[in-house]
Amino acid sequence: MLSLTSDRSISRRHPASLTLALAGLVAAAAILSLTTGAAGLGLGDLAAGLFGDGLSTRDRVVLYDIRLPRLAMGLAVGAALAVSGVLLQGLFHNPLADPGIVGVSAGAGLGAVLAIVLGGLMPAGLAGLFGSWLVPAAAGLGGWATTLLLYRVATTGKRTEVATMLLAGIALSALAGAATGVLTYIADDRQLRDLTFWGMGSLAGATWAKLAAAAPLIGAALMLSMRLARGLNALALGEAQAAHMGTDVQRLKGWAIFATAAAAGASVAVSGGIGFIGLVVPHLLRQAQGPDHRHLLPNAALLGAALLVLADLVSRSIVAPAELPLGIITALIGAPVFLWMLLHNTQLKGR
């Protein structure tokens, strides 16, 4: 399998120092996110709003109803996507693996498209029951259904074949993409606009209610992933070696897929399609600190959270008062960084 990680990176640097630096980056990104926007809020206003009662009614609405839920959503989604990438790359021994390659993102996208295009055909009572939650709920169900189907196809008896899972994920992604194409073809102009903006990702619709629905899933998935770090380290040596070291490989695979589906599915459901965070963040950290998952997973959560918050800040500032879709910003930043890493790795191997 392709490896972008130099052996020289193993155990180099000080991961604890890197964790502190990333925590500082998250704090700086959060302050910038809360103080930047059409309604100017300085550091003094922010402190007064968070620790006192010195804000006007308008500024309190801006801070507590718009910027804080948007910031919290960005932190949660960024951490979830980055950790999902680490889990899948560790599971598949493939640095190109991310939530999109096993079909989770495509399945969630198909669920969202079904809700947008065919949601009007639902009985009024059922549609009213979901309300504005129809698209996120359909996206979450789509991601989960794809994951369950993937796991069923790749599991024979009590053994799950990783290679089969990877191939099945590619096939399911293609199938979901084809179905999405058919639905896009029959969509009307308004639905096409909704599909386009949802597919490019955004945190503009962040609310406390959406965060309350997604955060428990994402939080549980992140905590579970941290418990898988030692098993993923053992799996890097090969399945047979990991089993000899006492790792229940089958159980590890199941929990890793479960955590990925929960984190990535919930993220896509509330934010739409946002690429490159799950692909680029693990590579950046492996170059900086090495492949030890005990440090890689928490640091990926911090760096993914910070990058997504900063990308969101750019998306709503660069063409203010309008807003660019977040997926465009992550692609514009992530694709050149990824190409640079490929070129850098090729040059290292050529020396």
Side-chain angles (χ1 to χ4, degrees):
M1 290 291 183
L2 173 66
S3 173
L4 298 179
T5 304
S6 167
D7 291 340
R8 290 179 299 174
S9 67
I10 297 175
S11 74
R12 68 183 183 186
R13 313 288 168 80
H14 303 285
S17 301
L18 183 60
T19 302
L20 288 176
L22 291 175
L25 179 63
V26 171
I31 292 172
L32 277 175
S33 177
L34 292 176
T35 55
T36 303
L41 289 178
L43 286 176
D45 297 323
L46 181 60
L50 293 177
F51 306 111
D53 192 25
L55 284 183
S56 65
T57 302
R58 188 208 66 161
D59 288 344
R60 289 187 66 82
V61 169
V62 170
L63 179 60
Y64 284 98
D65 294 344
I66 299 176
R67 293 188 186 173
L68 273 175
R70 185 167 184 147
L71 168 64
M73 188 77 82
L75 293 173
V77 170
L81 293 176
V83 167
S84 297
V86 173
L87 289 175
L88 290 178
Q89 290 172 18
L91 184 63
F92 290 116
H93 304 284
N94 189 324
L96 297 180
D98 75 345
I101 204 169
V102 293
V104 177
S105 298
L110 176 59
V113 173
L114 276 169
I116 291 171
V117 178
L118 304 180
L121 302 179
M122 294 176 61
L126 186 58
L129 179 64
F130 283 100
S132 61
W133 282 89
L134 181 60
V135 173
L141 288 174
W144 275 90
T146 305
T147 304
L148 291 175
L149 181 58
L150 174 74
Y151 196 76
R152 179 68 185 87
V153 169
T155 302
T156 303
K158 293 184 178 181
R159 181 174 176 79
T160 303
E161 292 291 341
V162 171
T164 304
M165 189 181 296
L166 183 61
L167 294 174
I170 294 172
L172 288 174
S173 293
L175 184 61
T180 300
V182 171
L183 290 167
T184 302
Y185 181 77
I186 65 175
D188 59 29
D189 290 343
R190 181 188 59 80
Q191 292 166 342
L192 279 175
R193 180 177 175 81
D194 291 342
L195 290 175
T196 301
F197 279 97
W198 190 90
M200 289 189 289
S202 175
L203 297 178
T207 62
W208 290 118
K210 286 185 178 179
L211 183 65
L217 270 177
I218 293 174
L222 294 181
M223 287 190 288
L224 173 60
S225 69
M226 303 304 164
R227 298 179 63 86
L228 303 178
R230 291 184 182 277
L232 290 172
N233 282 346
L235 192 61
L237 302 174
E239 291 191 19
Q241 185 66 27
H244 286 307
M245 295 171 66
T247 300
D248 186 338
V249 175
Q250 183 62 23
R251 186 182 180 89
L252 174 67
K253 292 176 185 175
W255 281 122
I257 290 296
F258 177 82
T260 300
S267 300
V268 175
V270 295
S271 64
I274 297 174
F276 281 100
I277 296 293
L279 188 61
V280 171
V281 168
H283 289 312
L284 286 173
L285 289 174
R286 285 195 187 93
Q287 296 288 342
Q289 68 167 62
D292 189 339
H293 288 85
R294 293 173 300 172
H295 307 296
L296 187 58
L297 284 163
N299 285 346
L302 290 171
L303 183 56
L307 287 183
L308 196 65
V309 169
L310 291 173
D312 179 57
L313 181 62
V314 172
S315 78
R316 58 189 172 86
S317 302
I318 195 169
V319 291
E323 184 175 315
L324 276 179
L326 185 53
I328 293 178
I329 302 299
T330 58
L332 285 174
I333 297 172
V337 170
F338 191 65
L339 287 172
W340 174 81
M341 287 191 298
L342 285 173
L343 180 62
H344 180 68
N345 187 66
T346 302
Q347 290 174 341
L348 282 178
K349 288 182 177 179
R351 289 179 181 174

